[in-house]
């Protein structure tokens, strides 16, 4: 082939109708870098690469330049396409290292790489080698040209038409993926249980929707949303903005501050590369802004997807707020029940609080040591601390003369005293059955009924053994005895830490779960919290 044929025809005037599309946002601003359209030239003749580059020099489409890549064989092109997934157009020779290298590459692109977006134009200098009709029917290509017919103007026309088709397909695919991620993301956000987890989830989902690795920072502003905060309060950040989480409010001189304050003031999102600010107002009256700094100006499709997502996360935020209020109400109810049980016994004033703190510590240590992994569910880890304060709620049924007796109980009194485990379990279980799913009451019932069972089966009220005793109860069994020995009771003086740990070691594997004992001892070997040995 004579590659100079490409330049032989007279250069016609530009077809303005091909470029009627609006340019990309900020495309006329030389200070803003925009993502180019990438075109891959695959041909074993160096002259074809040179002439193609010369013919397309200076061409732009929608305000974006062209970036031309080169490969000189089918294998080299495949490796490049495997690495670079954002190439829009491939100008592909048919005959290279083999007579059908180009055709084989087409099959590999569509099947092995599963790349259906790339526009492929076959160029051949030997039309008889691969008849046009057969190639068009048998191979998933978008155009088929003889090199001799590709004048500069026809090459220009073919490239612009291919880029327009590619952009339309990318928009459709991005919308599909983006909407799927919005639905998935909104579902995930409804599951989080803290404001910072929620904010981090928002930023991760936005980065996924944009698919540009955007930095981000979520700031919350609104009466009652973050008590005591007057300015934009950073809740979560990624990348270069992660350190902002450590400060109480966004610095006045920060590059994001003006955009965020303007969004709050105007009650609307603000877009202007390099900073885009999404404003969200919820039905509960909360307001927050998400500032992102994507590498490229956002396309209209991306902005629209983000606005849809913001509507969904506004509802998720309200759900999180209401969930938090409900959880506080549950915790207040649990605390009231525990106070009711302890009200009659002034000598156990700080007991339930210490039991709660130490139960949480031991549970986390068991998790860190990968002990009881089959029983340490996320729900148990989340709820066991608060549930533990209900362990003696059944004492409301114990007569004062027995509950407050300063001496040793008689066998008959001991029998009456021991009934508090069954009574507490029954009270809490009936309450738990009124609510779907696992709650504080669920684990509270397990703990109340099982924290006097012994690991060897010699405890009460049912004589359960080993892992037949719920893990929550096995943990609180250790914590309850540990704290009771360390502090004064009507029938005893406080023990020393050494004597208390020695007592627990002696009963490791008989009265107490060995793994729970080991977790407690490892905690005490590291550090003894001040609150643990403080006076009631």
């Amino acid at each position: 082939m004579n590659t100079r044929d490409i330049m032989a025809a007279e250069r016609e005037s530009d077809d303005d109708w091909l470029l009627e599309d609006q340019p990309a946002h900020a495309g006329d601003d030389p200070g803003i870098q925009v993502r180019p359209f990438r075109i891959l030239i695959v041909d074993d003749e160096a002259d074809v690469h040179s002439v193609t580059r010369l013919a397309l020099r200076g061409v732009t489409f929608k305000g974006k330049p062209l970036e031309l890549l080169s490969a000189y064989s089918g294998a080299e092109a495949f490796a490049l396409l495997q690495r670079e997934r954002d190439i829009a157009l491939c100008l592909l020779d048919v005959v290279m290292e083999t007579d059908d290298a180009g055709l084989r590459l087409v099959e590999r692109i569509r099947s092995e790489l599963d790349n259906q977006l790339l526009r492929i134009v076959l160029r051949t200098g030997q039309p008889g080698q691969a008849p046009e009709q057969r190639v068009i029917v048998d191979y998933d290509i978008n155009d088929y040209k003889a090199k001799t017919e590709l004048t500069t103007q026809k090459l220009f026309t073919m490239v612009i038409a291919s880029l327009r088709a590619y952009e339309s397909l990318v928009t459709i695919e991005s919308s599909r993926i983006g909407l799927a991620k919005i639905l998935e993301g909104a579902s995930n956000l409804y599951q989080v249980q803290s404001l910072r987890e929620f904010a981090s989830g928002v930023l991760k989902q936005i980065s996924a929707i944009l698919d540009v690795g955007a930095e981000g920072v979520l700031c919350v502003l609104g009466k009652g949303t973050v008590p005591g905060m007057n300015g934009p309060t950073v809740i979560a950040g990624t990348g270069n903005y992660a350190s902002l989480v450590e400060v109480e409010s966004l610095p006045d001189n920060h590059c994001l501050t003006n955009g965020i304050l303007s969004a709050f003031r105007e009650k609307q999102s603000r877009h202007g590369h390099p900073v885009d600010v999404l404003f969200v107002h919820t039905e509960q009256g909360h307001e927050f802004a998400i500032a992102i700094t994507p590498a490229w100006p956002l396309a209209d499709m991306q902005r629209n997807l983000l606005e849809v997502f913001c509507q969904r996360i506004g509802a998720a935020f309200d759900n999180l707020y209401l969930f938090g209020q409900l959880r506080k109400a549950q915790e207040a109810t649990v605390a009231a029940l525990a106070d009711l049980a302890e009200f009659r016994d002034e000598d156990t004033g700080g007991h339930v609080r210490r039991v709660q703190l130490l139960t949480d510590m031991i549970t986390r240590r068991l998790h860190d040591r990968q002990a009881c992994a089959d029983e340490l569910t996320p729900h148990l880890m989340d709820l066991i601390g608060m549930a533990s304060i209900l362990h003696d709620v059944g004492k409301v049924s114990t007569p004062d003369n027995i509950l407050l007796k300063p001496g040793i109980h008689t066998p008959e009194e001991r029998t009456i005293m021991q009934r508090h485990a069954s009574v507490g379990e029954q009270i809490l279980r009936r309450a738990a059955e009124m609510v779907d799913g696992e709650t504080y009451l669920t684990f509270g019932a397990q703990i109340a009924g099982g924290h006097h069972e012994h690991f060897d089966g010699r405890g009460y009220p049912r004589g359960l053994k080993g892992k037949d005793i719920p893990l929550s109860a096995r943990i609180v069994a250790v914590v309850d005895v540990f704290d009771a020995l360390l502090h004064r009771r009507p029938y005893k003086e406080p023990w020393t830490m050494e004597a208390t740990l020695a007592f627990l070691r002696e009963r490791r594997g008989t009265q107490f779960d060995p793994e729970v004992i080991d977790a407690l001892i490892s905690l005490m070997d590291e550090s003894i919290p001040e609150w643990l040995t403080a006076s009631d």
Side-chain angles (χ1 to χ4, degrees):
M1 169 209 168
N2 181 4
T3 58
R4 302 300 177 186
D5 289 341
I6 296 179
M7 304 298 295
E10 290 185 355
R11 193 180 281 271
E12 301 174 9
S13 62
D14 289 345
D15 287 341
D16 292 337
W17 63 270
L18 283 169
L19 303 175
E20 286 178 356
D21 304 81
Q22 292 295 320
H25 291 284
D28 296 329
D29 186 344
I32 295 178
Q33 185 182 21
V34 295
R35 188 195 300 267
F37 286 105
R38 308 181 79 191
I39 298 175
L40 174 62
I41 307 167
V42 185
D43 202 295
D44 57 352
E45 295 186 42
D47 282 350
V48 173
H49 292 262
S50 300
V51 172
T52 304
R53 290 177 179 275
L54 182 61
L56 297 177
R57 184 177 56 184
V59 173
T60 61
F61 176 55
K62 289 194 171 183
K64 299 180 181 180
L66 307 184
E67 179 185 354
L68 302 182
L69 309 174
S70 290
Y72 295 89
S73 68
E76 183 183 353
F78 182 81
L80 194 152
L81 288 166
Q82 203 170 24
R83 295 193 310 270
E84 310 289 340
R85 302 290 292 183
D86 62 343
I87 295 174
L89 171 63
C90 178
L91 302 175
L92 176 60
D93 189 14
V94 175
V95 181
M96 291 180 287
E97 64 265 42
T98 62
D99 290 345
D100 61 349
L103 299 178
R104 289 182 177 276
L105 178 59
V106 171
E107 290 181 330
R108 297 189 71 190
I109 290 171
R110 300 306 193 201
S111 59
E112 292 183 39
L113 298 182
D114 193 26
N115 188 337
Q116 312 302 325
L117 299 179
L118 176 67
R119 302 297 85 195
I120 301 175
V121 176
L122 285 180
R123 297 193 297 181
T124 181
Q126 305 173 41
Q129 190 74 27
E132 181 175 351
Q133 288 187 352
R134 184 180 69 82
V135 170
I136 288 291
V137 171
D138 295 345
Y139 295 90
D140 186 3
I141 63 172
N142 305 105
D143 209 344
Y144 186 72
K145 301 289 186 183
K147 293 181 180 179
T148 53
E149 68 176 296
L150 273 180
T151 64
T152 298
Q153 187 56 46
K154 288 184 178 180
L155 178 63
F156 170 83
T157 302
M158 180 266 293
V159 166
I160 297 301
S162 298
L163 294 180
R164 178 179 285 111
Y166 171 78
E167 189 177 51
S168 297
L169 290 173
V170 167
T171 299
I172 294 171
E173 180 66 8
S174 296
S175 297
R176 183 190 67 79
I177 294 173
L179 287 171
K181 287 177 177 176
I182 285 174
L183 295 174
E184 177 187 359
S187 174
N188 290 339
L189 292 175
Y190 275 101
Q191 298 172 14
V192 300
Q193 297 182 6
S194 77
L195 187 57
R196 292 196 183 276
E197 287 180 2
F198 171 86
S200 298
V202 168
L203 296 183
K204 289 177 182 177
Q205 295 299 337
I206 285 179
S207 295
I209 290 171
L210 295 179
D211 195 26
V212 291
E215 305 287 357
V217 56
L218 183 105
C219 297
V220 176
L221 185 70
K223 187 176 180 180
T225 304
V226 180
M229 297 299 180
N230 298 319
T233 304
V234 181
I235 301 301
T238 59
N240 294 333
Y241 305 138
S243 60
L244 291 174
V245 178
E246 305 299 325
V247 301
E248 288 190 350
S249 59
L250 197 62
D252 293 338
N253 60 350
H254 195 273
C255 63
L256 301 177
T257 302
N258 287 337
I260 290 174
L261 291 178
S262 296
F264 280 125
R265 186 169 52 250
E266 299 169 9
K267 308 294 185 185
Q268 63 181 13
S269 299
R270 292 175 56 86
H271 295 284
H273 193 72
V275 178
D276 293 89
V277 181
L278 307 172
F279 176 77
V280 183
H281 179 84
T282 77
E283 290 187 4
Q284 293 291 324
H286 301 116
E287 297 177 349
F288 58 94
I290 305 161
I292 54 177
T293 52
W296 310 98
L298 298 181
D300 287 339
M301 178 271 299
Q302 290 174 311
R303 295 184 184 185
N304 293 337
L305 285 174
L306 289 176
E307 290 299 332
V308 172
F309 185 63
C310 284
Q311 294 174 12
R312 298 300 301 271
I313 62 177
F317 186 89
D318 276 348
N319 180 75
L320 179 64
Y321 172 77
L322 294 174
F323 177 85
Q325 294 298 102
L326 177 61
R327 180 156 182 162
K328 287 179 181 178
Q330 291 178 341
E331 291 177 354
T333 303
V334 170
L337 286 172
D339 286 345
L340 180 64
E342 301 294 335
F343 180 73
R344 296 158 60 213
D345 188 357
E346 295 180 358
D347 287 321
T348 60
H351 176 63
V352 292
R353 177 59 177 162
R354 291 191 297 269
V355 167
Q356 177 186 1
L357 294 174
L358 193 54
T359 296
D360 274 332
M361 289 177 64
I362 289 178
T363 303
R364 288 194 297 270
R365 179 54 56 95
L366 288 171
H367 179 267
D368 294 341
R369 294 163 67 98
Q370 298 182 338
C372 308
D374 57 329
E375 299 174 276
L376 271 179
T377 65
H379 261 138
L380 184 142
M381 294 192 64
D382 187 37
L383 302 177
I384 187 174
M386 180 61 68
S388 70
I389 70 176
L390 296 171
H391 65 283
D392 278 339
V393 72
K395 286 183 178 180
V396 294
S397 67
T398 306
D400 284 349
N401 65 308
I402 297 176
L403 179 66
L404 304 179
K405 183 178 179 179
I408 302 298
H409 290 123
T410 66
E412 293 78 12
E413 290 172 337
R414 186 177 301 111
T415 299
I416 295 173
M417 188 72 176
Q418 290 178 351
R419 291 174 186 165
H420 81 276
S422 298
V423 171
E425 181 180 23
Q426 291 170 11
I427 292 172
L428 296 174
R429 180 168 293 166
R430 282 197 297 268
E433 289 172 352
M434 299 173 67
V435 184
D436 290 335
E438 293 180 325
T439 65
Y440 297 119
L441 299 173
T442 307
F443 292 107
Q446 293 178 3
I447 292 167
H451 74 289
H452 285 295
E453 300 285 3
H454 288 190
F455 201 71
D456 61 3
R458 298 182 181 182
Y460 67 87
R462 287 188 293 272
L464 299 179
K465 183 177 181 180
K467 291 195 174 183
D468 289 338
I469 308 168
L471 176 60
S472 57
R474 303 200 311 267
I475 294 172
V476 176
V478 172
V479 174
D480 186 34
V481 172
F482 176 71
D483 186 76
L485 292 177
L486 280 178
H487 294 84
R488 179 177 286 103
R489 288 291 180 269
Y491 51 86
K492 60 169 281 294
E493 290 299 312
W495 289 22
T496 65
M497 178 65 72
E498 293 76 11
T500 300
L501 290 177
F503 178 88
L504 295 176
R505 284 192 182 97
E506 289 175 5
R507 287 156 178 78
R508 179 185 182 276
T510 55
Q511 183 174 349
F512 304 115
D513 184 332
E515 290 184 306
V516 179
I517 292 293
D518 293 344
L520 171 65
I521 291 173
S522 72
L523 285 169
M524 296 303 104
D525 285 344
E526 285 183 8
S527 175
I528 300 175
E530 291 183 7
W531 50 262
L532 185 59
T533 54
S535 170
D536 288 332

